[in-house]
Amino acid sequence: LFCSFVSCICGDDVRSKNWSEIASQIKFTYDEVADFHLQYEGYLPDTIIKQADAILLGYPLQYPVMKAYTLWNDLLVYEPVTRPTGPAMSWSMHAINHLDIGNPREAAENFNRSYQPYIRGPFHVWCELQKPATGARNFLTGAGGFLQAVLYGYAGFRVYLDRLQIRGRYLQELSVVDIAVTAQGVQYLGALITVRQTMEKSEIIVTHLDQALVIEFGDGNVATDVVLNKVYPLSRGAIATIRAKSNPYHGCDLPKDVIGY
């Protein structure tokens, strides 16, 4: 399990804490008839909720058996009942999950909703609550949700234990929200990576390496060594995978049942 993997990395034996037993008893409540995940046992549709929770099984949890239409149902169930006085992070997570299942217009609506009602001039400082209320000022959690929507939504990043993936964005995904993204200096295993997602192109450039990495594009070709400062074009909708040539965890085996693996 993941806890054993972390124990190996940290050099701390956690077997006596029974984390594996606890993990084996965690369950996600699921309505097989309506095909959506319940917020809790006994949850009734149309019940108002404060903020995103069940929809997080998609992103950021990346629940491996989640089907696209189940995630779509989760979004359909919870988006209209998430109260508008809740925090901005909900809409950022809705935006990312809509992008993941190919709903660019819904993603754009939620992306705009994640920051426009919450920022205040003249310096565009985040507030916890939508205008005209304020709540906590300089609300970094809301700003962090917005940044996740940029990096893990429109820039296309996904981080796993054994790899970094970058998905090329379709033109419609970018045009509907009128956005072009350049994520520069993203760090992964000591590397510095720049990703550009624009109306004209999607591309990846690695500008620094601390260890040997390989890259592949899911096109049937074998992985090749990453070359510094080479421009790697990324086709729309394609996924580039960057990983270490050898196990970066110094003898600790990757867990085979970790969510998202």
Side-chain angles (χ1 to χ4, degrees), residues 7-210:
S7 174
C8 176
I9 291 177
C10 298
D12 179 19
D13 190 348
V14 298
R15 286 174 294 183
S16 63
K17 298 180 181 179
N18 299 319
W19 292 122
S20 297
E21 180 182 350
I22 293 170
S24 67
Q25 298 181 53
I26 296 175
K27 69 174 183 177
F28 300 131
T29 51
Y30 173 67
D31 186 324
E32 294 184 4
V33 176
D35 187 25
F36 78 101
H37 292 92
L38 285 76
Q39 187 189 47
Y40 52 85
E41 285 190 0
Y43 174 82
L44 298 176
D46 298 326
T47 301
I48 299 297
I49 66 172
K50 177 187 176 184
Q51 62 192 66
D53 42 39
I55 67 110
L56 303 181
L57 290 174
Y59 176 87
L61 192 59
Q62 302 175 133
Y63 189 38
V65 298
M66 171 79 80
K67 296 180 174 63
Y69 47 80
T70 304
L71 177 54
W72 184 208
N73 286 337
D74 286 348
L75 292 164
L76 287 173
V77 167
Y78 292 108
E79 198 166 302
V81 299
T82 302
R83 72 186 195 197
T85 55
M89 302 83 71
S90 291
W91 317 122
S92 303
M93 298 303 103
H94 280 271
I96 296 171
N97 281 294
H98 275 298
L99 281 173
D100 280 353
I101 58 175
N103 293 336
R105 294 194 179 279
E106 291 85 350
E109 290 171 2
N110 280 280
F111 178 68
N112 291 332
R113 195 178 183 184
S114 75
Y115 74 96
Q116 290 176 349
Y118 296 93
I119 56 176
R120 305 291 192 276
F123 301 110
H124 298 308
V125 173
W126 250 265
C127 287
E128 182 181 13
L129 302 178
Q130 295 187 24
K131 301 171 184 176
T134 55
R137 299 177 187 273
N138 194 22
F139 189 55
L140 298 181
T141 316
F146 168 80
L147 290 175
Q148 286 193 60
V150 174
L151 285 173
Y152 300 105
Y154 291 101
F157 284 98
R158 283 302 153 87
V159 181
Y160 299 87
L161 287 176
D162 67 331
R163 66 198 185 278
L164 174 71
Q165 289 188 335
I166 304 152
R167 180 187 294 275
R169 286 298 173 202
Y170 290 104
L171 293 178
Q172 186 182 10
E173 293 172 331
L174 300 172
S175 64
V176 72
V177 76
D178 191 22
I179 191 173
V181 179
T182 296
Q184 186 170 342
V186 175
Q187 297 187 39
Y188 177 70
L189 295 179
L192 295 179
I193 301 169
T194 295
V195 170
R196 295 190 180 95
Q197 304 265 17
T198 71
M199 295 295 293
E200 292 75 29
K201 59 188 176 182
S202 293
E203 62 184 22
I204 303 167
I205 306 171
V206 179
T207 59
H208 176 81
L209 284 171
D210 276 351

